[in-house]
Amino acid sequence: MALAALPLAMASGSPGGGGASSKSTRRQAGTRPGWGFTHTQYSAEHGTPEATRKAGALLSARPLPQNQHIMGWGAENPEPAPGRYDFQALDERVALMRATGATPVLTLCGAPDWMKGGRRGRTDWSRLEEAPDRRHYRDFARLAGAIARRYPDIRHFLVWNELKGFYDERKRRWNYEGYTQLYNLVYAELKKQNPDNLVGGPYVVADHDPPAGDPEDRSPELRGPWGELDQRSADVIHYWNRHKEGADFVVVDGSSYTREGHETIPDEFAATEKFAAVTHWLRNVTGLPVWWAEWYVEPPAADDRPGGRDGWDEHHRTAVHATAMMQLAASGASAAFYWNPQRTGDDCPGCLWRSTHLPDGGRELPMARLLNRFAHEFPPGTAFRPVDATADPGARIQVLADDAAVLVVNTERRPVAARVDGKALSLAPYEVRWLTR
């Protein structure tokens, strides 16, 4: 018999308690924006007129949360010199989010050059991933405040990205003390601008190693068939959680493949159980809603050879991503943002829409169909229900269901006959199938 349903399919993310005030209810809903994506270097605001129109219509049809960094990833240096601002590019991205009805999210990363030892008025993009100097933490917090004032309708803020520039090579660990100092200054500034602003951190990569890997790096707190959480990642969460001045949610990112060797253990589908395990652990440690700022399932190719994102076809990609999203949803994640790898050319594996720089661009691609449908059917708080599912001997399917919809994923590269929720199905290789109940 096949796997009948996700092990976590009965986990419910529905909030408890019915006596909350309207303000606290709104606040709780605000910390659970659900499934969305992050803009990167290229997005839908530039390109041919017809293609940008189509992409805008796609994003508006079922608006999703959209995340944008304040510098880099499509935005220019917002403060090239102290007190001299340049928000044109960021304004364009915010305008796109507003025009398409998105719940807008800003990631407060990176820092202008003058905050990290560079020249005023100059931007060296090779230094984008450097953290601000400690003496400029307050300057970065003031910049965050200026951005919050400029976009008063934006309520969701992530502080920094993957602790970029905060790794201490001498100590072989993250400089979580420095990050938390920066975080607390930014948190206080954003709450001063508007107490309803929602702020989260520490946005650390939840790395993991193979089972029985290097004993110095692996954490005894969290392990599974997929591997063991990196102790350095766990240390960031614990320190930040103890020393933060406040937080509305905890945010991490991570992949289903290992930190070293990029292995998916025991395979690319079963390895996604890591996302559920980390989500449960974060909720237990912090007591906060859990956000995934990024999640990845395609191991990168070695030595620039074909593979990874460029080596998987879209059927394989969407099947594994669907399984990862099932794990995140069933474990109660409050938000998850797909890192949209848009390019300007014809070849764009994993992109959400065809490049708007092409005459026929702007149309929906398979990952957008998955993301949009999943966000519609399984928003945060969904009460998941049991579902009967069997498949051909030796075949594995993944199933997740609520009262209205059932998602079925064939994890095999061959056709599979299955019976799900009383319906006989013939599933194509790596097919993702939605059923109604």
Side-chain angles (χ1 to χ4, degrees), residues 135-410:
R135 61 193 176 93
H136 287 297
Y137 286 178
R138 291 189 183 277
D139 292 318
F140 186 79
R142 280 191 285 269
L143 172 59
I147 288 171
R149 289 192 300 274
R150 186 171 186 85
Y151 310 115
D153 53 322
I154 296 182
R155 286 286 172 271
H156 303 82
F157 298 89
L158 314 183
V159 181
W160 212 243
N161 170 310
E162 294 186 335
L163 275 75
K164 286 179 166 62
F166 281 98
Y167 193 76
D168 189 323
E169 293 288 352
R170 183 178 61 84
K171 296 181 179 178
R172 289 193 69 247
R173 67 165 176 85
W174 296 104
N175 174 16
Y176 39 71
E177 299 95 339
Y179 169 80
T180 304
Q181 182 182 354
L182 175 69
Y183 171 88
N184 283 336
L185 290 168
V186 173
Y187 176 87
E189 178 65 27
L190 292 174
K191 292 295 186 177
K192 183 176 76 173
Q193 297 302 324
N194 190 327
D196 287 337
N197 284 337
L198 302 173
V199 187
Y203 202 153
V204 66
V205 182
D207 276 327
H208 73 283
D209 297 293
D214 185 345
E216 183 179 351
D217 293 336
R218 65 179 190 250
S219 172
E221 293 184 67
L222 185 59
R223 61 186 57 171
W226 44 269
E228 299 173 323
L229 183 67
D230 191 297
Q231 184 61 54
R232 291 166 292 190
S233 299
D235 290 343
V236 172
I237 295 295
H238 285 299
Y239 184 90
W240 172 83
N241 191 50
R242 288 194 303 266
H243 294 90
K244 68 185 184 305
E245 290 188 358
D248 298 291
F249 52 90
V250 58
V251 57
V252 296
D253 77 340
S255 63
S256 56
Y257 47 84
T258 58
R259 179 178 59 88
E260 297 288 347
H262 303 136
E263 301 175 74
T264 52
I265 303 171
D267 59 61
E268 72 270 36
F269 288 96
T272 64
E273 293 179 15
K274 172 212 175 155
F275 296 119
V278 173
T279 300
H280 282 300
W281 177 77
L282 287 167
R283 292 176 70 182
N284 289 334
V285 169
T286 68
L288 294 168
V290 177
W291 286 31
W292 286 81
E294 308 166 39
W295 81 87
Y296 299 98
V297 300
E298 307 109 318
D303 302 324
D304 297 324
R305 294 193 299 269
R309 184 180 296 278
D310 295 327
W312 286 12
D313 66 35
E314 293 303 301
H315 296 291
H316 190 186
R317 184 188 330 281
T318 53
V320 183
H321 272 293
T323 304
M325 294 167 71
M326 291 163 130
Q327 296 286 353
L328 290 166
S331 59
S334 295
F337 294 88
Y338 179 71
W339 189 268
N340 186 24
Q342 287 299 144
R343 301 176 184 174
T344 58
D346 183 69
D347 186 31
C348 198
C351 292
L352 295 180
W353 57 83
R354 186 161 166 78
S355 171
T356 53
H357 293 266
L358 300 173
D360 63 342
R363 62 179 173 82
E364 183 182 58
L365 294 177
M367 273 304 304
R369 283 195 290 275
L370 171 63
L371 191 62
N372 283 322
R373 183 69 182 269
F374 199 100
H376 175 72
E377 300 290 358
F378 300 143
T382 295
F384 294 108
R385 306 300 185 195
V387 56
D388 293 326
T390 58
D392 292 336
R396 296 176 305 161
I397 60 174
Q398 297 282 18
V399 182
L400 189 65
D402 65 2
D403 287 333
V406 182
L407 176 57
V408 184
V409 178
N410 178 13

